[in-house]
């Protein structure tokens, strides 16, 4: 499902020739559907688009969690995908749409995502073919401590720290081989990462420069998914068990 698709419904305008209009005729107005007349899908993306347009710094939203499609046969997902998507759009309920989670990406947030990609992946950043082994887990750990001990102090203000920490966490979540291929010792820095998030998220949205409607619930969802993923991977051998406490 496209992140930016169907942000608004088509608007049609009905017109009447002047030669046939009489004083008794009602003025014909543009046929603009009210939000309550839209499908839940269209209404949701109208709100998402409005949030983006209110802040010129925002480049667009990135999807954190889509709508669950567990009731569909995974083997048939690619068949008639375009037709299936159209049918799904019209059938999504308001409750289903409210399960979507997005984080708005600003220009600085995008820059930090690229910067942290280079920090985490090193020479492999930007490569079309990447190879990971056990040593990558130490690269990721070193990257975290570089962020904590040097980059954190340079990030002035909660908003800059938010962009930096989100960018780092997104990259280590995406390139997650370190969670499964390591020789232990990952728990301490992951706990530190959770503590940094916990302190940072105590700031109000205004100081973090995030919107309350989409990005705040989006980042909580992202961190909750990361928590489940990293705990499941590391707790196979961790003693005591890891608890990624971000809130």
């Amino acid at each position: 499902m496209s992140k930016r698709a169907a942000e608004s419904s088509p608007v049609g305008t009905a017109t009447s020739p002047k030669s046939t209009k009489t004083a008794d005729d009602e003025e014909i107005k543009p046929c603009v559907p009210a939000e309550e007349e839209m499908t839940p899908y269209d209404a949701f993306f109208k709100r998402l688009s409005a949030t983006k347009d209110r802040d010129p710094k925002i480049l667009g939203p990135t999807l954190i969690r889509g709508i669950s499609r567990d009731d569909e046969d995974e083997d048939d997902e690619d068949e008639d995908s375009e037709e299936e998507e159209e049918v799904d759009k019209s059938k999504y309920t308001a409750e289903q749409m409210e399960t979507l989670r997005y984080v708005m990406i600003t220009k600085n947030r995008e820059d930090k995502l690229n910067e942290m990609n280079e920090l985490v992946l090193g020479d492999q950043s930007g490569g079309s073919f990447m190879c990971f082994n056990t040593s990558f887990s130490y690269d990721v750990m070193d990257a975290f401590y570089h962020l904590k001990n040097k980059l954190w102090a340079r990030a002035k203000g909660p908003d800059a720290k938010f962009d930096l920490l989100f960018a780092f966490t997104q990259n280590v979540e995406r390139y997650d081989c370190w969670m499964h291929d390591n020789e232990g010792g990952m728990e301490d820095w992951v706990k530190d990462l959770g503590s940094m998030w916990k302190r940072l998220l105590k700031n109000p949205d205004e100081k973090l420069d995030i919107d309350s409607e989409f990005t705040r619930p989006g980042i909580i969802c992202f961190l909750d998914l990361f928590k489940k993923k990293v705990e499941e991977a590391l707790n196979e051998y961790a003693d005591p068990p890891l608890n990624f406490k971000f809130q």
Side-chain angles (χ1 to χ4, degrees), residues 5 15 20 24 28 32 35 39-40 47 60 64 71 95 97 117 129 134 172 180 187 193 212 216 218 235 237:
T15 58
T20 60
D24 295 329
I28 301 176
V32 181
E35 183 162 335
T39 65
R47 285 165 37 222
I64 300 299
D71 58 332
E95 290 75 15
M97 294 305 302
N117 184 268
F129 177 79
T134 306
V172 297
H180 309 280
E187 297 81 19
L193 177 64
S212 302
R216 169 69 75 163
N235 281 343
Y237 303 105

Side-chain angles (χ1 to χ4, degrees), residues 40-103:
Y41 181 93
D42 288 339
F44 178 90
F45 280 101
K46 180 181 179 182
R47 285 165 37 222
L48 186 70
S49 179
T51 298
K52 171 190 173 297
D53 293 343
R54 278 196 296 269
D55 188 344
K57 297 189 300 295
I58 294 176
L59 303 178
T62 187
L63 181 66
I64 300 299
R65 183 178 68 194
I67 294 175
S68 175
R69 303 176 68 177
D70 294 339
D71 58 332
E72 296 180 6
D73 186 346
E74 293 182 0
D75 294 334
D76 297 332
E77 280 188 355
D78 294 331
E79 296 181 9
D80 303 320
S81 58
E82 292 185 2
E83 179 180 352
E84 189 174 76
E85 186 179 1
E86 285 299 321
V87 173
D88 285 343
K89 288 177 185 177
S90 66
K91 292 183 178 180
Y92 285 149
T93 65
E95 290 75 15
Q96 285 177 302
M97 294 305 302
E98 290 307 316
T99 65
L100 285 171
R101 291 292 180 268
Y102 286 89
V103 166

